Every structure is written in C-alpha cells, then in structure tokens.
Amino acid sequence: MKQGRQTVDTRRARILALIRERQKIKVEELSILFGVSLMTIRRDLRALEDTGQIGRFYGGASVEPYAVSVTERDDVAFYRDFISRRAADFVESGDRIFINGSQTALALLRYISREPVQVFTNNGLAIGNAYPSGVEVSVSGGILRGNSPVMTGDCAMRNLLMTQADKAFMGCSGISPDGEILCDIPTELGINETMISHAYQYYILADHTKIGKTGAYASFALETAGTIITDELAPPVVIERLKNLGMKVVRVSKPAVLPV
C-alpha cells in the first residue's frame, strides 16, 4: 500500500533525529526499527541526503553530508589519478587497447611507459591531448549528445566491430555488489559490452565511491572474469563478493609523498 505523505515525512524526521543522536547507523537497523523494507529506507536516506541533512556511506548513513567534504572530494580525485597510473602498468609494448568514455581510463595514456601502443576510443576528449610519442590514438567517430564527449551510435559501433584489442580499459558509473557494471549513458552500453567481448583481457577502473553502488542506471553483467582496479577505501564486503564472482581486484593506496 502506498504510504501517505504525512507518514513518510514523520518517518524521515524520526530517522534524521536518530542519525543525529547516533552519529551513524546502518540501513538494516533502520529497516528493523521502522518496520519497512530496505528499499524504503534507502529512498528515505536519499531524500535526506539530497537536502544536505545527512551523508551516506556503503550500507548506512551519518551526520556528515558527503557533499560538503572538500577533503573527501580531493581524495577521490587523487585516487582516480592513482588508478589511472596503476592501469598504465598493465599496458605492454605493442598492445592494442580499447578505452571507453571514461576520463579516468583515458588518463592512463599519460602514464604509459612501454611503447608503441595503439589506442581505439569513443572518448572525444582524446582529441587534442598530448600523449607519449609512441601512443597512436584512433577515434571511433559517432554521435555526440548534449555536452557529453562520449561518441555513440551506428558509426561508432561499426568501427568498433571491425577492431580487436589485446586489452580494454573501461570506466563506469558504478559496480553493484552482484557484479553488474552500471553506465549513466545508456547509448554507450552496447559499446562497452562490445569492447569487452572484442578484447582478450579487460580492466574496470572504479574508485571507492563506485564500488557497491546501485541505482537507476543501464547495466550489464560480466560474463567473463576480468580485473577491477579500485582503491584502498573500497568496501571490503563488496570486494570479497566480487572476488567470489571470479573477478581479480587490484587496490591502490595513496602514498605518503604524492607523485609529481
């Protein structure tokens, strides 16, 4: 039965008061305390987060809104750079690689040390960038929608289908606890799947904010085992589940002295 607005508002006010009292609390505990489903609690927490009253972490909520944490935002940017650097370590001389529309995946080209390397990408941001002299970049062509630099459509897919790669390096919007890869550009979904199927190995680049994420995104399940490159803050429970699904997981750590 659909709940009335007053019932929902009352429950959310009580949840907010409880979080402020406890500092942090788990979704499962809130579900039991209020006698509603986990999905209902997640909707309540999302509504409170959207108004800046709480912050959320994997499996729960806290009094500190994530959006105002400049330090944590900086950490995410640092970790994404470290992930790009680590991904570049997997590129060998003579490799032909795919890179999708992810900026984190594209950034690995700056750190390639073994050349030559051939790159095929649908990321329009590759155009005009300077890369090591032995890195040759081919752009898929295709349709650009709105302000997105990601190329999709029949042209991009046709050119991709004629290409085989040694490795695919893919960014994503999130990785669910069940191993689904989430994509916030539905028109890129088929291109991501094709890049993985046309590569002998694939790597998913995802910082800790994307591990264990769920939401109303386009998604596909991984049918073959690959490698996830994430960071030390990724939730251990989800990491173990991904390993049990056959995925290899590489986690980077932030060094005491930042690289230049």
Side-chain angles (χ1 to χ4, degrees), residues 12-29:
R12 289 177 180 174
R14 292 173 60 196
I15 290 173
L16 178 59
L18 190 58
I19 293 172
R20 287 173 173 170
E21 177 185 344
R22 301 267 195 94
Q23 299 295 300
K24 62 171 60 176
I25 197 167
K26 292 284 190 177
V27 170
E28 290 83 355
E29 185 177 357

Side-chain angles (χ1 to χ4, degrees), residues 15 51-52 61 67 72 86 91-92 94 137 179 195 221-222 246 257:
I15 290 173
T51 57
E72 191 169 356
R86 186 68 180 91
V91 180
E92 301 290 339
V137 179
M195 282 186 174
L222 297 172
V257 179

Side-chain angles (χ1 to χ4, degrees), residues 1 41 75 94 96 156 160 168 180 199 207 212 214 247 252:
M1 180 182 296
I41 292 297
D75 276 348
R96 184 173 181 84
L160 174 59
E180 286 187 320
D207 67 79
T214 58
M247 299 297 294
V252 302

Side-chain angles (χ1 to χ4, degrees), residues 58-216:
Y58 178 74
S62 67
V63 293
E64 183 68 25
Y66 173 77
V68 301
S69 176
V70 175
T71 300
E72 191 169 356
R73 282 204 305 272
D74 288 345
D75 276 348
V76 171
F78 282 129
Y79 279 124
R80 287 177 181 173
D81 182 62
F82 300 143
I83 289 169
S84 299
R85 292 171 184 264
R86 186 68 180 91
D89 292 340
F90 292 98
V91 180
E92 301 290 339
S93 176
D95 273 351
R96 184 173 181 84
I97 67 174
F98 289 143
I99 290 179
N100 73 344
S102 161
Q103 294 187 47
T104 303
L106 186 65
L108 75 86
L109 297 182
R110 299 198 300 263
Y111 304 118
I112 287 177
S113 59
R114 292 182 286 272
E115 307 167 23
V117 173
Q118 291 182 299
V119 181
F120 181 92
T121 182
N122 67 319
N123 193 329
L125 294 176
I127 299 171
N129 281 346
Y131 299 116
S133 59
V135 176
E136 178 184 296
V137 179
S138 297
V139 181
S140 68
I143 299 171
L144 296 174
R145 290 181 170 86
N147 295 322
S148 172
V150 180
M151 300 177 186
T152 60
D154 291 342
C155 177
M157 182 61 79
R158 282 197 304 270
N159 290 331
L160 174 59
L161 287 170
M162 293 187 293
T163 308
Q164 183 72 34
D166 298 291
K167 295 158 186 170
F169 294 90
M170 322 282 295
C172 61
S173 298
I175 303 176
S176 79
D178 297 320
E180 286 187 320
I181 303 302
L182 309 181
C183 175
D184 58 6
I185 304 177
T187 52
E188 194 188 16
L189 188 60
I191 289 176
N192 290 342
E193 291 178 306
T194 304
M195 282 186 174
I196 288 177
S197 66
H198 277 231
Y200 296 110
Q201 301 175 54
Y202 71 88
Y203 302 81
I204 305 295
L205 283 57
D207 67 79
H208 64 274
T209 66
K210 297 181 179 181
I211 303 295
K213 190 174 181 180
T214 58

